[in-house]
Amino acid sequence: MNFDLTEEQLAVQRLARDFADREIAPGARERDRSEQFPWEILAKMAPLGFLGEPVPEKYGGAGFDYLTHAVVTEEIGRADSSVRTTLSVQVSLVALTILRWGTEEQKRHCLPLLCSGQWLGCFGLTEANAGSDAANQSTTARREGRSWVINGSKMWISNGSVAKLALIIAQTDKTKGHTGLAAFLVETGTPGFKSRVMKGKMGLRSSDTAELILEDVRVPAEALLGQVGDGFKVAMTALDNGRYSVAAGCVGICQGSLDASTKYAQERIAFGRPIGQFQLVQELIAEMVVKTESARLLTYRAGHVKNQGLRSTRETSIAKYYASEAACWCADQAIQVHGGYGYSDEFPVERYYRDARVATLYEGTSQIQKLIIGEFQLGLRAFT
Ligand code: COS
């Protein structure tokens, strides 16, 4: 593996960094306070190709490789994890899943709309009783002639109330377990499709989170993504990409925490000298450096595997587990470096702390990542 970014990757990194500093970071506190969805930012990101980074150009994407995808996602995540979450769902859970599983017609129809930002997408897997146990779907899909009729509800769906397209996982035959699941591309304007915004989140306050309710939602046979029975694998391959994007966003939180802490420790005077001179503060900064760089390297390694077109479940779970835990740690200790000021939104670190916390939960908890890693290592399954 080559650790150097190419000239092209560096140019995209500069573009993303500049965009994040100029267009995203300045309004992040206010959007967080007012829980305002970042529509204007998304509109500006689309022409830069950020809404379709690794999607091939023939489908309206930017045609970036996976390392470039991580580099961009890190910069967005450093500025505002709410924007990054919206982006991760759009690109990694929805667009890349259609790219992997869609028919040529589905790709030609959906991908340009998603990459241009005309459509936002959401990913409907999680239910009230199907979180870690993702195969345990209560949402059903029943075949009626040339149509499918979908009934059920989904919880904690990012982009759920703003999406025009929902990728819905549903059970077609309860006796078959995960082999009865199927995935559907459902336009959210379809009669019977409703969403309800979920409020009161600890973080990611300017991202959209909703409950989806599907009551006799009738979609044509062409809405099926993959074959009947592929639904679980569709979801798992989506998560292999989604978790990668979360990992990259968490590297951004680590870097943001480190940048803010470095500046503060150089400027804040206590006992007549900058607090960065104190060894206990240096220890915190040094730990942040090590965790940030380790998280980045693990993420790049997963990207390297993806660039070769190989299954990256193991490497992605390692990166997502490590980077999300590192982001929580770095944001927490960044508050410590800032002292009382870190507890106020005058500085970004308290937002980093609240936003980082969900990353060890969504797209598979840290415990699920460890069980995936453990199974690869031991050849023994923790699940029946
Ligand atoms: N890519 C491709 N195929 C995959 C896969 C992946 N990443 N993971 C599993 N599969 C396949 C398996 O190969 C197996 O295929 P066969 O039926 O052909 O043998 C099938 O899917 C079932 O896999 P497995 O038996 O391992 O599934 P489990 O029910 O044991 O579930 C866990 C495994 C728990 C790891 C999975 O349910 C999971 O990731 N849960 C967390 C879900 C989650 O992240 N939820 C949050 C969503 S927020 S959007």
Side-chain angles (χ1 to χ4, degrees):
M1 178 179 169
N2 182 353
F3 288 92
D4 296 325
L5 297 179
T6 63
E7 271 311 312
E8 199 186 340
Q9 287 165 338
L10 286 169
V12 179
Q13 185 181 49
R14 278 194 296 274
L15 178 72
R17 188 167 290 167
D18 181 55
F19 182 82
D21 287 339
R22 228 171 359 91
E23 301 285 351
I24 305 180
R29 178 175 75 170
E30 214 34 61
R31 287 191 302 276
D32 179 70
R33 280 184 175 178
S34 59
E35 305 195 6
Q36 185 194 332
F37 189 73
W39 285 113
E40 286 165 21
I41 293 173
L42 296 175
K44 288 181 184 169
M45 280 165 84
L48 300 177
F50 294 169
L51 297 187
E53 297 157 16
V55 174
E57 286 168 279
K58 69 172 176 168
Y59 299 121
F64 294 161
D65 68 307
Y66 280 90
L67 218 53
T68 313
H69 178 33
V71 162
V72 171
T73 309
E74 175 187 332
E75 294 301 333
I76 310 292
R78 182 177 56 79
D80 186 347
S81 291
S82 288
V83 178
R84 198 277 305 154
T85 294
T86 307
L87 180 75
S88 291
V89 174
Q90 174 85 350
V91 176
S92 302
L93 288 179
V94 180
L96 288 179
T97 310
I98 296 172
L99 184 68
R100 161 73 178 79
W101 291 92
T103 61
E104 191 57 28
E105 206 181 326
Q106 286 169 330
K107 291 186 220 178
R108 289 203 178 277
H109 179 55
C110 298
L111 292 177
L113 290 165
L114 290 166
C115 295
S116 64
Q118 291 176 72
W119 273 6
L120 285 184
C122 69
F123 180 70
L125 172 67
T126 301
E127 298 183 352
N129 292 311
S132 293
D133 187 6
N136 183 36
Q137 295 283 310
S138 298
T139 299
T140 59
R142 174 179 90 242
R143 187 81 201 233
E144 275 189 14
R146 293 260 319 124
S147 308
W148 286 95
V149 180
I150 307 175
N151 278 286
S153 64
K154 301 284 174 182
M155 288 279 283
W156 300 114
I157 306 303
S158 298
N159 295 354
S161 85
V162 292
K164 287 271 195 288
L165 181 72
L167 200 167
I168 299 288
I169 307 294
Q171 180 58 268
T172 64
D173 182 346
K174 282 199 166 111
T175 63
K176 289 193 174 162
H178 80 260
T179 58
L181 296 177
F184 297 90
L185 296 172
V186 182
E187 294 193 27
T188 57
T190 311
F193 192 108
K194 283 187 234 122
S195 64
R196 197 179 297 140
V197 176
M198 296 174 76
K199 290 282 184 189
K201 288 177 294 183
M202 175 182 181
L204 297 185
R205 290 194 177 157
S206 77
S207 74
D208 177 74
T209 309
E211 184 182 352
L212 307 181
I213 301 115
L214 294 94
E215 286 171 350
D216 287 331
V217 172
R218 187 175 290 273
V219 293
E222 294 72 35
L224 184 67
L225 184 67
Q227 303 298 314
V228 173
D230 284 342
F232 191 75
K233 289 183 187 174
V234 171
M236 291 300 118
T237 52
L239 287 170
D240 279 351
N241 286 323
R243 290 167 183 164
Y244 177 65
S245 185
V246 172
C250 286
V251 176
I253 296 179
C254 292
Q255 186 66 54
S257 300
L258 176 60
D259 292 346
S261 300
T262 303
K263 186 167 185 293
Y264 191 82
Q266 287 167 338
E267 291 172 359
R268 171 75 177 174
I269 305 293
F271 302 100
R273 44 192 166 139
I275 61 166
Q277 253 182 327
F278 294 109
Q279 291 181 4
L280 293 178
V281 174
Q282 290 211 357
E283 185 192 31
L284 292 179
I285 301 283
E287 283 285 344
M288 275 186 221
V289 170
V290 173
K291 286 186 193 299
T292 303
E293 296 194 7
S294 306
R296 186 179 290 119
L297 287 174
L298 287 171
T299 304
Y300 284 6
R301 197 260 306 248
H304 176 64
V305 175
K306 285 175 185 294
N307 277 343
Q308 295 170 77
L310 301 172
R311 181 169 162 186
S312 68
T313 306
R314 176 179 175 276
E315 291 74 17
T316 297
S317 281
I318 293 173
K320 196 270 188 184
Y321 163 63
Y322 187 84
S324 60
E325 294 286 344
C328 289
W329 191 91
C330 288
D332 187 23
Q333 296 310 317
I335 293 175
Q336 201 64 24
V337 171
H338 284 71
Y341 287 106
Y343 197 63
S344 123
D345 70 3
E346 192 179 328
F347 290 88
V349 290
E350 66 83 35
R351 180 168 47 82
Y352 290 150
Y353 179 75
R354 287 184 290 107
D355 286 351
R357 192 60 187 83
V358 74
T360 68
L361 304 171
Y362 68 7
E363 306 213 20
T365 59
S366 288
Q367 285 70 23
I368 285 290
Q369 309 311 326
K370 285 193 235 183
L371 293 177
I372 292 171
I373 298 162
E375 185 180 336
F376 272 102
Q377 181 63 25
L378 295 161
L380 300 170
R381 288 169 50 80
F383 315 100
T384 50

